[in-house]
Amino acid sequence: MAAVLLTVLAAVASAGALKTRQLFEFPSPTFIENIAVRPNGHVLATTFTDAGLYTLDPSASNTTAKLVARVPGKTALTGITELYPDIFAVGAGIIDNLTFVNGSTSVWVVDFNCAGAEPVVRLAANLPQSIIVNGLATLPKARHMVLAADSIAGAVYRIDTISGTVQIAIQNDMLALGSNPAYPLGINGVEVHDGYLYLSQSAQRFFARVRISDSGDQIGEFEIIATLPRDPELVAYDDFAITGNGVAYLTAHSNTILKIPPGGNQTVFYGPGDMPYLFDPTSTALSRDESTLYIVTGGSAVRGGATGGQIIEVRL
Ligand SMILES: *[C@@H]1O[C@H](CO)[C@@H](O)[C@H](O)[C@H]1NC(C)=O
Ligand SMILES: *[C@@H]1O[C@H](CO)[C@@H](O)[C@H](O)[C@H]1NC(C)=O
Ligand SMILES: *[C@@H]1O[C@H](CO)[C@@H](O)[C@H](O)[C@H]1NC(C)=O
Ligand SMILES: *[C@@H]1O[C@H](CO)[C@@H](O)[C@H](O)[C@H]1NC(C)=O
């Protein structure tokens, strides 16, 4: 039933003839985990496979991703969020045998507002209490503070990137793995929009929001906006972007982007029938003018394939 519904939705999406272009494909097995867009329009991509931060200029005719920063002592980067113009926070850890090493988690600041050609990378905070920080989101009224999703503990931390202080802002079963999880991550992506924390939940298969204070504390009940349809192609929601009008573009493993407007009427925005094929999309980001959606993927190596992580542009 769900499969039939999805096929119909995919046909609707494909009929819309997406204006898509693959900007770059990394060599296998580079796995792109997350993405942000700089004020100059260049894309930043974080990798799970070498703790690299890569940059790419989408306006260049023959564009190539170049390494701009590496986080020392770590093997994997996770979420990324812009604190101040051209200053980003990124999550990092050590992955061994596809598993994060407990105690290796940390958040770093990457500052492009520096005299040199290279950004300055500095440690903001270690999170020994966490196995993984996944999505990151800046608090709009306190931009040196980030909220970080712990996908295992089912928590959202508030991290002061200046003092290094880490506190639990939200801890709730709605963020946790839940009983009998088929996917090993709970809360995944986070974005702050209009006084709410929006979040994707991989194991529990929903997209939700919760009202937060200016400092990120929970001040309302969780509201489930959409649930992941039951379809063999739809394994788990991953990270997402949200427009100024509250339209979310959510990635879903293994090959789909779902569009969820504020009312929660979820449709397939980019499906397995669209080209180029998405190999495990992990996150999306919008250009500043919201005319373009960028999608990053993990590539097919985790499934034994030869495609590296992709960066794809969709004109909206
Ligand atoms: C584009 O980039 C590729 C890879 O770096 C290179 O092999 C190719 O010659 C370039 N093409 C043009 C037109 O610059
Ligand atoms: C890697 O993890 C898998 C699954 O947990 C386990 O079966 C395997 O033995 C591990 N390999 C090594 C080299 O630790
Ligand atoms: C991770 O390490 C912390 C601190 O040492 C410990 O309390 C926690 O139980 C560990 N978690 C797991 C899953 O091993
Ligand atoms: C949901 O979106 C689809 C596609 O845009 C549209 O055809 C349908 O009418 C919408 N349903 C509701 C309840 O708004």
Side-chain angles (χ1 to χ4, degrees):
M1 180 61 192
V4 171
L5 176 68
L6 187 74
T7 307
V8 171
L9 290 174
V12 169
S14 299
L18 293 173
K19 293 180 197 135
T20 65
R21 190 164 65 112
Q22 179 164 297
L23 298 175
F24 188 71
E25 181 187 310
F26 280 84
S28 184
T30 302
F31 185 108
I32 310 176
E33 170 60 10
N34 223 306
I35 178 173
V37 179
R38 291 182 59 189
N40 65 5
H42 295 189
V43 163
L44 291 174
T46 66
T47 65
F48 245 13
T49 29
D50 67 351
L53 184 67
Y54 288 82
T55 182
L56 174 149
D57 177 3
S59 70
S61 57
N62 190 14
T63 188
T64 307
K66 298 187 190 84
L67 184 72
V68 278
R70 220 187 269 286
V71 169
K74 305 296 175 186
T75 66
L77 297 188
T78 57
I80 180 165
T81 183
E82 190 171 30
L83 302 170
Y84 300 98
D86 243 358
I87 304 176
F88 296 83
V90 295
I94 297 173
I95 293 182
D96 185 29
N97 189 22
L98 300 177
T99 308
F100 275 90
V101 174
N102 192 8
S104 70
T105 295
S106 51
V107 169
W108 298 68
V109 170
V110 180
D111 186 350
F112 287 88
N113 285 324
C114 299
E118 304 289 309
V120 169
V121 179
R122 70 167 173 87
L123 178 68
N126 280 313
L127 288 90
Q129 65 273 60
S130 174
I131 294 175
I132 173 177
V133 281
N134 202 322
L136 302 184
T138 303
L139 282 173
K141 302 231 170 106
R143 297 200 66 93
H144 63 297
M145 307 280 261
V146 290
L147 297 180
D150 185 325
S151 302
I152 307 289
V156 172
Y157 304 109
R158 171 178 42 243
I159 300 162
D160 183 325
T161 61
I162 297 171
S163 72
T165 304
V166 180
Q167 297 166 322
I168 289 182
I170 307 175
Q171 183 143 38
N172 195 288
D173 288 345
M174 293 290 278
L175 310 179
L177 288 169
S179 53
N180 203 14
Y183 200 82
L185 301 170
I187 182 175
N188 195 315
V190 284
E191 293 287 339
V192 178
H193 172 73
D194 216 10
Y196 288 87
L197 182 71
Y198 284 76
L199 63 107
S200 55
Q201 230 291 2
S202 300
Q204 297 192 46
R205 301 174 72 92
F206 64 72
F207 176 61
R209 69 176 190 173
V210 61
R211 191 168 265 294
I212 55 169
S213 68
D214 289 349
S215 54
D217 292 309
Q218 178 182 350
I219 54 171
E221 297 301 313
F222 282 86
E223 303 167 37
I224 293 181
I225 299 166
T227 57
L228 191 65
R230 290 280 160 196
D231 184 291
E233 301 268 10
L234 297 177
V235 176
Y237 284 129
D238 203 331
D239 212 328
F240 62 96
I242 192 160
T243 70
N245 291 330
V247 179
Y249 292 92
L250 272 90
T251 57
H253 296 275
S254 51
N255 53 29
T256 301
I257 309 296
L258 295 151
K259 179 178 178 179
I260 308 181
N265 179 16
Q266 172 173 248
T267 53
V268 171
F269 171 74
Y270 194 128
D274 292 307
M275 294 301 286
Y277 186 87
L278 303 177
F279 289 94
D280 275 304
T282 50
S283 193
T284 65
L286 291 150
S287 62
R288 299 278 157 146
D289 66 1
E290 301 192 345
S291 68
T292 305
L293 185 76
Y294 298 104
I295 302 166
V296 286
T297 75
S300 64
V302 275
R303 294 170 201 280
T307 307
Q310 305 154 285
I311 304 178
I312 286 157
E313 175 191 86
V314 186
R315 294 264 175 213
L316 299 175

